[in-house]
């Protein structure tokens, strides 16, 4: 019956970032206060170092008055003032509004269910026989939260309610608009509460940068003018080698990808190369996000970065594609291979990428790179790894074609339309170069050779593919060769074994850098599982 205001979404964000703590808010009608804390003391980075819980009034803060919603709708749709109220009156007891009110939930039940969904503590005036601004209701709230007044901040749109709370020692915020309230709350909590997007988190302290500098760059260099506006910034969970950020700047939704801070290897995290190849792919009509600008001036945000447009869509992290039909799964896999063929069919000269990488001995150079990385990150001798290194060095292809290669082409680096099976964008070009296209294809097909229980990257080797509508590996290879008009691949198993080795080397390197604990155990178990699978892909079996 009510449209939820932007502050309700903010409230949910506070709750999600609460590390298991509690929060507090109140509702209109039967007066209630709902409570939940925001941060544990050790995690608190707010300006008010003692703030550990937030208290919201509901009416006028979380839920707007429905009359205001009616008025907004009438204005936005050029309807005469009072149109909706007249419709409700004319409908009477049998009208749509009355029917809604006679549904499975009464308004009070709705309020209660909503409060329970969002809150840990509820204080109802009708139950405790006390209402704001009586200081006793705040004392009851603090008692249930087990908090002192100095550890709480209270939001309300009525000054008398705030005054009595402040007299108890509770910090207060007068709500005049959703934007103002959220901005004030951000100052208290030290959290980014605006611009929420699924799959993102608040930016950790170590990755934060100047919003003012970023706003100046967006305005002056990219001509994205939003006077007096600072961008809202959040960090994507996916793609952490080069930190990737979601930006909401006025009505623009953007993505910023930058070098991480700290001391880096000279050739590592080359975001300028990423921007160059993605811009070239965009001009060659390969599906990538719209590329907007590259900034090499490290004084702006501390490291080099580039900005691209946000591509709304879906990332599929599970190769089984749950909740999809057999036909949809088949179409998604087919579209994936079509996108890869587009990349490999780009004319290097026309794309102005002749200098993007060396054009000969790619597999030999790539193997040497990963072998050295593995040796440098090795924590113990693994005989199977030593054997596979020897075998690969003896079976490197003597020749091969050269194309643009993505370097990490996988299902979870593709953004699909949420309304169809179309590929909207291929992302994460950090490892792109000029090289052997079959290495890309093997990376893409790696999931076919590892089981669904495989750590980090679940696979399909123990799945009955035909029962899910997923193409078999033979069908994938046939589609690739047919689309690119090349003969069948004679030494496919070399590329499979090489890809196993490369992923094991990557996991070994990450494991060595990881803090010993659960994450390290998971990563190392991935290395050991790959090694055990090496014994299955032996030269005796395939060659």
């Amino acid at each position: 019956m009510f449209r939820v205001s932007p502050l309700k979404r903010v409230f949910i964000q506070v709750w999600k970032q609460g590390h298991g703590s509690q929060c507090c808010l109140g509702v209109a009608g039967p007066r209630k206060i709902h409570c939940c804390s925001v941060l544990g003391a050790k995690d608190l980075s707010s300006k008010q170092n003692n703030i550990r819980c937030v208290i919201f009034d509901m009416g006028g803060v979380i839920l707007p008055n429905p009359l205001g919603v009616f008025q907004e709708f009438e204005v936005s749709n050029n309807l005469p003032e009072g149109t909706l109220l007249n419709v409700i009156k004319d409908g009477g007891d049998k009208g749509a509004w009355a029917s809604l009110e006679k549904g499975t939930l009464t308004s009070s039940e709705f309020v209660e269910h909503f409060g329970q969904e969002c809150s840990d503590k509820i204080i109802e005036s009708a139950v405790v026989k006390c209402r704001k601004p009586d200081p006793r209701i705040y004392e009851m709230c603090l008692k249930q939260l087990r908090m002192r007044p100095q550890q709480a901040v209270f939001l309300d749109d009525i000054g008398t309610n705030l005054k009595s709370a402040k007299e108890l020692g509770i910090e207060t915020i007068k709500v005049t608009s959703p934007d103002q309230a959220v901005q004030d709350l951000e100052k208290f909590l030290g959290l980014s509460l605006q611009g929420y997007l699924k799959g993102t988190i608040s930016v950790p302290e170590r990755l934060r940068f100047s919003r003012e500098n970023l706003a100046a760059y967006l305005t002056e260099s990219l001509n994205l003018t939003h006077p007096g506006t600072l961008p809202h910034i959040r960090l994507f969970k996916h793609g952490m080698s080069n930190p990737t950020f979601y930006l909401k700047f006025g009505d623009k939704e953007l993505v910023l990808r930058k070098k991480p801070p700290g001391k880096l290897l000279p050739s590592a995290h080359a975001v300028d190369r990423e921007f160059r190849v993605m811009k070239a792919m965009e001009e060659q009509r390969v599906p990538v996000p719209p590329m907007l600008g590259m900034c090499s001036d490290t004084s702006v945000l501390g490291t080099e970065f580039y900005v691209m447009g946000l591509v709304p869509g879906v990332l599929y992290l599970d190769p089984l594609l749950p909740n999809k039909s057999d036909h949809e799964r088949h179409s998604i896999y087919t579209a994936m291979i079509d996108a890869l063929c587009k990349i490999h069919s780009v004319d290097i000269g026309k794309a102005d990428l002749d200098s993007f990488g060396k054009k000969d001995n790619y597999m030999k150079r790539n193997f040497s790179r990963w072998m050295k990385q593995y040796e440098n990150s090795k924590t113990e001798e693994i005989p199977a790894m030593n054997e596979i290194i020897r075998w690969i060095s003896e079976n490197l292809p003597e020749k091969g074609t050269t194309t643009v290669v993505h370097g990490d082409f996988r299902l979870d680096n593709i953004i699909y339309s949420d309304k169809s099976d179309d590929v909207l964008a291929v992302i994460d070009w950090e490892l792109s170069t000029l090289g052997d296209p079959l290495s890309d294809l093997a990376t893409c097909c790696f999931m076919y050779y590892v089981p669904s229980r495989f750590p980090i990257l679940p696979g399909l080797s123990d799945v009955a593919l035909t029962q899910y509508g997923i193409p078999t590996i033979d069908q994938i290879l046939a589609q690739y060769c047919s689309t690119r008009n090349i003969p069948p691949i004679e030494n496919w198993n070399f590329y499979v074994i090489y890809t196993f080795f490369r992923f094991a080397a990557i996991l070994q390197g990450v494991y060595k850098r990881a803090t010993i604990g659960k994450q390290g155990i998971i990563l190392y178990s991935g290395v050991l599982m790959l090694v055990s699978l090496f014994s299955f892909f032996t030269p005796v079996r395939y060659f």
Side-chain angles (χ1 to χ4, degrees):
M1 189 166 69
F2 296 101
R3 183 188 68 176
V4 177
S5 79
L7 275 176
K8 185 263 185 179
R9 293 190 291 273
V10 170
F11 172 77
I12 292 175
Q13 269 307 101
V14 172
W15 183 82
K16 286 181 178 179
Q17 298 180 68
H19 306 286
S21 307
Q22 305 166 355
C23 191
C24 190
L25 61 100
V27 301
R31 303 302 294 180
K32 298 183 181 180
I33 292 181
H34 295 219
C35 320
C36 73
S37 78
V38 190
L39 292 168
K42 292 182 180 179
D43 296 310
L44 192 61
S45 60
S46 67
K47 294 182 179 179
Q48 303 293 331
N49 288 330
N50 289 325
I51 300 299
R52 295 184 61 191
C53 67
V54 180
I55 305 171
F56 293 87
D57 174 61
M58 183 67 83
V61 176
I62 300 298
L63 291 179
N65 188 309
L67 294 179
V69 178
F70 294 167
Q71 292 167 357
E72 290 179 13
F73 183 85
E74 289 165 352
V75 171
S76 64
N77 290 274
N78 297 315
L79 296 175
E81 183 178 354
T83 297
L84 294 183
L85 279 178
N86 290 332
V87 170
I88 293 172
K89 291 177 181 178
D90 292 342
D93 289 340
K94 296 182 180 180
W97 184 264
S99 298
L100 178 64
E101 290 178 328
K102 295 175 183 178
T104 57
L105 291 179
T106 65
S107 60
S108 61
E109 288 173 337
F110 163 76
V111 169
E112 180 178 354
H113 279 263
F114 176 81
Q116 290 174 348
E117 184 178 296
C118 296
S119 313
D120 293 310
K121 304 293 181 182
I122 301 175
I123 299 174
E124 187 172 358
S125 299
V127 173
V128 301
K129 309 301 181 184
C130 180
R131 65 188 293 271
K132 297 174 295 181
D134 191 322
R136 290 178 298 169
I137 198 166
Y138 304 113
E139 292 170 345
M140 294 176 193
C141 173
L142 293 170
K143 184 176 180 180
Q144 289 200 26
L145 289 172
R146 298 181 181 180
M147 297 286 175
R148 298 187 302 275
Q150 296 77 14
Q151 295 175 309
V153 58
F154 174 51
L155 286 81
D156 201 308
D157 60 328
I158 299 176
T160 54
N161 292 341
L162 294 169
K163 181 179 178 181
S164 60
K166 196 170 187 66
E167 288 174 349
L168 289 176
I170 299 173
E171 295 287 352
T172 60
I173 295 175
K174 175 69 177 294
V175 177
T176 58
S177 72
D179 287 343
Q180 162 268 321
V182 172
Q183 290 170 10
D184 287 350
L185 187 57
E186 285 181 326
K187 293 175 183 177
F188 272 101
L189 302 179
L191 294 174
S192 175
L193 303 177
Q194 302 181 77
Y196 175 73
L197 182 71
K198 185 178 179 180
T200 65
I201 59 174
S202 290
V203 181
E205 182 67 34
R206 64 183 179 83
L207 295 178
R208 292 181 186 177
F209 46 80
S210 170
R211 295 169 66 196
E212 291 77 10
N213 286 2
L214 177 57
Y217 172 80
L218 296 175
T219 301
E220 297 168 8
S221 298
L222 302 187
N223 296 317
L224 302 176
T225 305
H226 295 281
T229 300
L230 291 179
H232 304 305
I233 307 172
R234 295 184 61 82
L235 179 69
F236 281 100
K237 298 178 185 178
H238 192 75
M240 292 299 292
S241 178
N242 285 328
T244 307
F245 303 87
Y246 167 69
L247 311 179
K248 185 73 164 63
F249 188 52
D251 60 350
K252 302 294 184 183
E253 293 186 288
L254 310 168
V255 175
L256 183 150
R257 191 160 160 91
K258 70 191 293 285
K259 280 188 176 185
K263 187 176 181 179
L264 306 173
L265 295 175
S267 61
H269 308 280
V271 294
D272 56 331
R273 283 179 56 85
E274 283 187 51
F275 181 82
R276 177 186 175 188
V277 71
M278 293 176 74
K279 186 67 175 177
M281 293 299 102
E282 180 183 19
E283 293 170 353
Q284 298 300 311
R285 299 186 178 181
V286 172
V288 294
M291 307 306 293
L292 303 180
M294 171 73 204
C295 180
S296 300
D297 184 354
T298 59
S299 69
V300 179
L301 300 184
T303 61
E304 294 181 329
F305 67 91
Y306 64 85
V307 178
M308 52 188 167
L310 177 74
V311 178
V314 181
L315 280 176
Y316 296 116
L317 305 181
D318 186 341
L320 278 177
L321 303 175
N323 303 319
K324 293 292 183 180
S325 67
D326 291 0
H327 174 74
E328 288 172 327
R329 292 189 185 98
H330 192 278
S331 297
I332 288 169
Y333 274 76
T334 299
M336 173 181 69
I337 297 303
D338 283 342
L340 182 61
C341 290
K342 287 182 179 179
I343 295 172
H344 293 168
S345 299
V346 167
D347 186 304
I348 295 173
K350 288 183 179 179
D352 195 23
L353 292 173
D354 285 305
S355 62
F356 194 61
K358 298 179 180 179
K359 295 183 179 180
D360 57 348
N361 296 319
Y362 170 76
M363 292 306 300
K364 182 177 181 180
R365 289 184 285 105
N366 198 257
F367 171 61
S368 177
R369 170 192 175 186
W370 289 112
M371 182 177 64
K372 290 177 181 177
Q373 178 162 317
Y374 172 72
E375 291 294 335
N376 291 334
S377 60
K378 187 163 59 177
T379 52
E380 63 178 87
E381 288 294 333
I382 303 177
M385 284 288 282
N386 296 335
E387 172 62 19
I388 209 68
I389 288 172
R390 182 194 63 78
W391 186 88
I392 290 174
S393 65
E394 295 174 355
N395 290 273
L396 286 165
E398 294 182 1
K399 60 181 180 179
T401 58
T402 298
T403 68
V404 173
V405 294
H406 179 277
D408 195 21
F409 190 91
R410 305 195 313 260
L411 181 66
D412 61 339
N413 275 333
I414 300 173
I415 300 175
Y416 285 85
S417 169
D418 58 359
K419 298 178 181 179
S420 68
D421 303 325
D422 296 336
V423 171
L424 300 182
V426 179
I427 58 174
D428 200 357
W429 291 73
E430 182 182 354
L431 299 177
S432 58
T433 187
L434 303 183
D436 189 332
L438 297 184
S439 64
D440 254 358
L441 182 60
T443 298
C444 175
C445 295
F446 178 73
M447 57 189 166
Y448 279 91
Y449 299 95
V450 294
S452 56
R453 67 184 185 279
F454 182 69
I456 313 299
L457 296 171
L460 299 169
S461 67
D462 55 349
V463 174
L465 299 178
T466 55
Q467 295 181 11
Y468 290 87
I470 297 174
T472 65
I473 185 62
D474 289 338
Q475 291 172 325
I476 289 290
L477 297 181
Q479 178 193 346
Y480 179 85
C481 293
S482 175
T483 303
R484 294 204 61 221
N485 194 27
I486 62 174
I489 303 167
E490 295 181 354
N491 58 343
W492 172 245
N493 289 307
F494 167 84
Y495 292 93
V496 173
I497 294 175
Y498 176 78
T499 302
F500 268 80
F501 161 73
R502 187 169 74 93
F503 273 109
I506 292 171
L507 286 178
Q508 179 66 47
V510 176
Y511 166 69
K512 186 173 182 179
R513 295 190 299 271
T515 302
I516 298 299
K518 184 177 181 181
Q519 182 185 13
I521 293 172
I522 292 174
L523 290 167
Y524 195 58
S525 67
V527 176
L528 295 180
M529 185 173 287
L530 279 173
V531 169
S532 68
L533 288 170
F534 279 153
S535 63
F536 181 79
F537 286 94
T538 58
V540 174
R541 181 179 175 87
Y542 279 113
F543 299 93

